């Protein structure tokens, strides 16, 4: 594991200690606790900089699969059997223009390629070549309203106890130039295990932020009222919302 990951985690862990695990801070409270730290992280570790980009020869041919099982419900099976022709990515919530994207529409947009490393909080990493649409281009298409503060990613899979996976970024993180809605991994359309047909890829954040099987992006003023209120499936289990590497 990269040293800066360890440093970032210790800083965050030290701060998390200010807010005992299990305390349900609302997101604005959480942000008050973290705002000083975020500034420190950005200053010391440069998390607003770019994640390192690697060479083709660094790519891990067998990118590990992790997380919940690939969806196998009737809806996902139908989409997969139809080669995702009927897939739609909905972007709604606090936006000026709600939009629906087919895969063809996403592929017709400007594409970005990045060879970056994915760092899982469990301590493994993998380098992949990702291609897709910059999240900021999608946000430009829908026009975040002035009350929008967070971008929530809703996924098609569920945990073993049947809770949907979801994640969130703030608008600044979502506009990061390497925040990608990925369509391809290593030169091929994403396979089901890695999040087909569309997943978030955010190389400046820990792996759990990179939501797979995304079919809805919702802009909100606060994530407090979603699920258990911590801004993501793993955050709801006590992981930190701020997962900068
Ligand atoms: N929808 C969804 N996204 C997810 C997960 C998940 O279980 N469900 N697991 C996360 C975690 S912890 C990691 S490390 C990566 C794993 O991505 P991979 O299977 O492509 O390696 O996906 C992340 N995104
Ligand atoms: Mo992970």
């Amino acid at each position: 594991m990269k040293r800066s990951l360890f440093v970032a985690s210790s800083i965050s862990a030290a701060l998390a200690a200010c807010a005992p695990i299990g305390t349900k801070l609302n997101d604005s409270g959480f942000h008050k606790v973290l705002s000083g730290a975020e500034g420190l992280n950005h200053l010391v570790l440069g998390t607003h900089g770019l994640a390192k980009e690697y060479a083709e020869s660094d790519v891990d041919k067998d990118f590990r699969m992790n997380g919940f099982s690939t969806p196998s419900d009737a809806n996902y099976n139908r989409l997969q059997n139809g080669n995702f022709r009927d897939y739609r990515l909905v972007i709604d919530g606090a936006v000026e223009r709600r939009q629906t994207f087919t895969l063809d529409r996403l592929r017709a947009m400007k594409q970005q390629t990045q060879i970056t490393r994915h760092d899982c909080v469990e301590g493994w990493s993998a380098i992949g070549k990702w291609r897709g649409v910059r999240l900021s281009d999608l946000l430009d298409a829908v026009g975040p309203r002035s009350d929008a503060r967070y971008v929530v990613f809703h996924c098609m899979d569920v945990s073993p106890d049947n809770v949907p996976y979801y994640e969130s970024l703030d608008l600044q993180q979502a506009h990061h130039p390497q925040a990608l809605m990925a369509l391809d991994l290593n030169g091929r359309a994403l396979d089901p295990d890695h999040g087909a047909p569309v997943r978030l890829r955010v190389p400046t954040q820990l792996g759990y932020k990179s939501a797979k099987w995304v079919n809805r992006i919702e802009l909100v003023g606060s994530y407090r009222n979603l699920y258990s209120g911590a801004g993501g499936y793993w955050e709801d289990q006590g992981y930190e919302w701020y997962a900068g590497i």
Side-chain angles (χ1 to χ4, degrees):
M1 202 188 305
K2 204 173 67 162
R3 192 180 135 79
S4 63
L5 176 58
F6 173 73
V7 175
S9 310
S10 348
I11 292 173
S12 308
L15 282 154
C18 308
I21 299 273
T23 306
K24 278 288 170 214
L25 288 170
N26 65 29
D27 46 349
S28 57
F30 193 54
H31 267 264
K32 261 178 225 135
V33 174
L34 271 187
S35 55
E38 285 186 29
L40 183 65
N41 269 347
H42 294 167
L43 192 69
V44 175
L45 304 167
T47 51
H48 273 194
L50 297 177
K52 180 180 159 100
E53 305 235 0
Y54 293 81
E56 292 270 354
S57 54
D58 297 322
V59 168
D60 288 304
K61 295 293 170 234
D62 292 311
F63 200 97
R64 181 164 161 177
M65 187 238 176
N66 199 40
F68 300 146
S69 307
T70 303
S72 57
D73 58 293
N75 178 53
Y76 190 83
N77 287 343
R78 185 180 56 82
L79 292 176
Q80 189 186 344
N81 290 337
N83 222 358
F84 297 105
R85 227 183 359 261
D86 292 337
Y87 167 84
R88 299 290 182 273
L89 173 64
V90 175
I91 309 185
D92 64 0
V95 298
E96 301 290 349
R97 301 169 295 278
R98 176 191 192 276
Q99 304 252 353
T100 295
F101 296 82
T102 61
L103 276 186
D104 284 348
R105 183 175 174 198
L106 290 171
R107 290 201 178 272
M109 293 176 71
K110 186 170 175 233
Q111 307 288 302
Q112 183 197 72
T113 300
Q114 58 169 259
I115 301 178
T116 50
R117 197 183 63 203
H118 173 100
D119 293 315
C120 175
V121 73
E122 293 164 6
W124 60 272
S125 298
I127 294 172
K129 178 177 165 181
W130 303 93
R131 187 169 191 265
V133 180
R134 278 182 58 184
L135 181 54
S136 69
D137 288 343
L138 291 170
L139 294 176
D140 287 348
V142 296
R145 281 190 337 227
S146 57
D147 56 325
R149 287 187 60 204
Y150 298 96
V151 180
V152 179
F153 303 85
H154 295 281
C155 304
M156 294 186 267
D157 61 320
V158 291
S159 70
D161 51 342
N162 231 29
V163 180
Y165 198 93
Y166 77 107
E167 257 305 337
S168 63
L169 299 174
D170 65 28
L171 269 183
Q172 193 184 8
Q173 295 166 344
H175 279 106
H176 188 281
Q178 292 168 314
L180 202 66
M181 295 314 295
L183 307 170
D184 295 344
L185 171 60
N186 296 347
R188 284 194 304 273
L190 272 180
D191 60 281
D193 287 350
H194 293 96
V198 179
R199 78 173 299 169
L200 173 65
R201 174 66 198 132
V202 51
T204 49
Q205 307 263 317
L206 287 171
Y208 58 87
K209 286 282 178 184
S210 287
K212 307 197 277 189
W213 309 297
V214 174
N215 66 355
R216 180 179 174 215
I217 298 177
E218 180 190 13
L219 278 78
V220 296
S222 161
Y223 47 70
R224 198 174 58 231
N225 295 323
L226 295 169
Y227 300 97
S228 297
Y233 177 84
W234 285 112
E235 288 85 337
D236 284 339
Q237 324 301 315
Y239 282 46
E240 290 146 48
W241 179 85
Y242 181 73
I245 298 173

